[in-house]
Amino acid sequence: MAASLCALPANAATVGGVLAWGKPDYDVTIPPPDALTGVTAVSAGSTTALALKGGAVLAWGANNWGANQIPAAATSGVSQIASGWGHELALKSGKVLAWGNNWYGQTTLPASVSSGVIAISTSNMHSLALKQGGLVVSWGTRTDVPAAAQTGVTAISAGGDHNLAIKNGGVLAWGSNTYGQATVPAGLTSGVTTVSAGFNHSLALKGGRVYAWGRDSLHQTEVPPEAQSGVVGVDAGFNHNVAYKADGTVVSWGSNVVGESTFIWCGPVFGVSAGDNDSFALKEDPAAAC
């Protein structure tokens, strides 16, 4: 899941260090020293986390399938990152880079993503890329892209087995709909600035308010009052969500079985990312006292 870095408030920090909390398996919630300064983006996967620092990708956590073995091409010039289920993506000069788990073709890239790509997203076993002109490309376990998502799309998010996109300010959704995660609520046909797909639930941000739908087994679609105004960024994890507000405060809800929804630091933060059972935020100085 990629960090949410949209609609930054005026004078907000854009470079800082990683805070992490939740399940500590594989030391994924212990950012390495290199990730404590100079980071501009963070992305939580299932058991691996990525950070972007000076155009170079950092990785830590489980190294299954070589997820932490950064290819040479991803050590400079990278503009975006996305961590999945043991597979990792980076965007460099309009080209998608991929490494790690390839059980379902997650790192076997379509020829069309070798140029002209402006955004990437991944989650479970499939990935999305957004090309100039608004065309969505999908690979891995889910390759279908509806006609509506083949032009004019401005944002994408890959979920467990469904996808979200923004087109003309409205939400598009397709894929698995077992829990209603691809049934877009009324009122989200315009004005939407961010979408984020969890494992079986979905989020959208409109006018500073988070909307949620889909599976609610762990209260992941029950948006708390704090996330109904003033939100500037949000990310859906597998079964929980993390948002941050214009004042840099963090709001989390949903699954909290290992503390993944319990933010134990103070802000202000300028980005968030929710993973499987862990969460991440970016803060200008992670060591600063509250």
Side-chain angles (χ1 to χ4, degrees):
M1 293 69 163
S4 182
L5 293 170
C6 65
L8 288 170
N11 302 316
T14 57
V15 180
V18 177
L19 299 172
W21 62 101
K23 193 174 184 179
D25 288 6
Y26 309 104
D27 290 337
V28 72
T29 56
I30 304 176
D34 283 355
L36 299 180
T37 60
V39 172
T40 54
V42 64
S43 180
S46 57
T47 55
T48 299
L50 300 181
L52 185 60
K53 179 175 182 175
V57 179
L58 308 177
W60 65 96
N63 194 35
N64 299 332
W65 308 288
N68 294 352
Q69 297 170 13
I70 309 299
T75 59
S76 65
V78 172
S79 58
Q80 293 182 35
I81 50 174
S83 183
W85 197 79
H87 65 281
E88 319 301 326
L89 301 182
L91 181 60
K92 179 177 180 176
S93 301
K95 178 180 180 178
V96 178
L97 309 175
W99 64 97
N101 183 10
N102 197 36
W103 282 359
Y104 301 100
Q106 305 99 301
T107 64
T108 300
L109 300 175
S112 58
V113 302
S114 62
S115 65
V117 176
I118 58 175
I120 53 175
S121 181
T122 192
S123 177
N124 192 33
M125 295 294 183
H126 76 283
S127 303
L128 300 178
L130 178 61
K131 301 200 65 174
Q132 294 172 350
L135 168 67
V136 178
V137 181
S138 183
W139 67 96
T141 54
R142 178 165 290 282
T143 60
D144 58 311
V145 177
Q150 295 181 24
T151 183
V153 171
T154 55
I156 52 173
S157 183
D161 191 34
H162 73 291
N163 300 302
L164 301 178
I166 298 177
K167 181 176 181 177
N168 298 325
V171 179
L172 302 177
W174 68 97
S176 175
N177 198 34
T178 304
Y179 302 98
Q181 65 266 46
T183 301
V184 181
L188 297 180
T189 58
S190 64
V192 175
T193 54
T194 301
V195 287
S196 187
F199 194 68
N200 285 310
H201 72 286
S202 301
L203 304 179
L205 181 60
K206 177 179 177 178
R209 176 179 178 176
V210 178
Y211 294 79
W213 64 99
R215 193 174 191 184
D216 194 40
S217 56
L218 293 164
H219 310 292
Q220 58 267 53
T221 65
E222 299 172 22
V223 182
E226 296 84 356
Q228 294 181 24
S229 64
V231 175
V232 294
V234 66
D235 194 46
F238 274 48
N239 292 300
H240 75 292
N241 310 295
V242 183
Y244 72 102
K245 305 187 71 170
D247 62 1
T249 58
V250 172
V251 184
S252 302
W253 69 98
S255 173
N256 197 36
V257 293
V258 286
E260 64 268 40
S261 292
T262 302
F263 183 65
I264 60 175
W265 293 274
C266 61
V269 308
F270 63 92
V272 292
S273 186
D276 188 341
N277 291 300
D278 45 42
S279 304
F280 300 81
L282 295 176
K283 183 177 180 180
E284 186 173 11
D285 181 3
C290 294

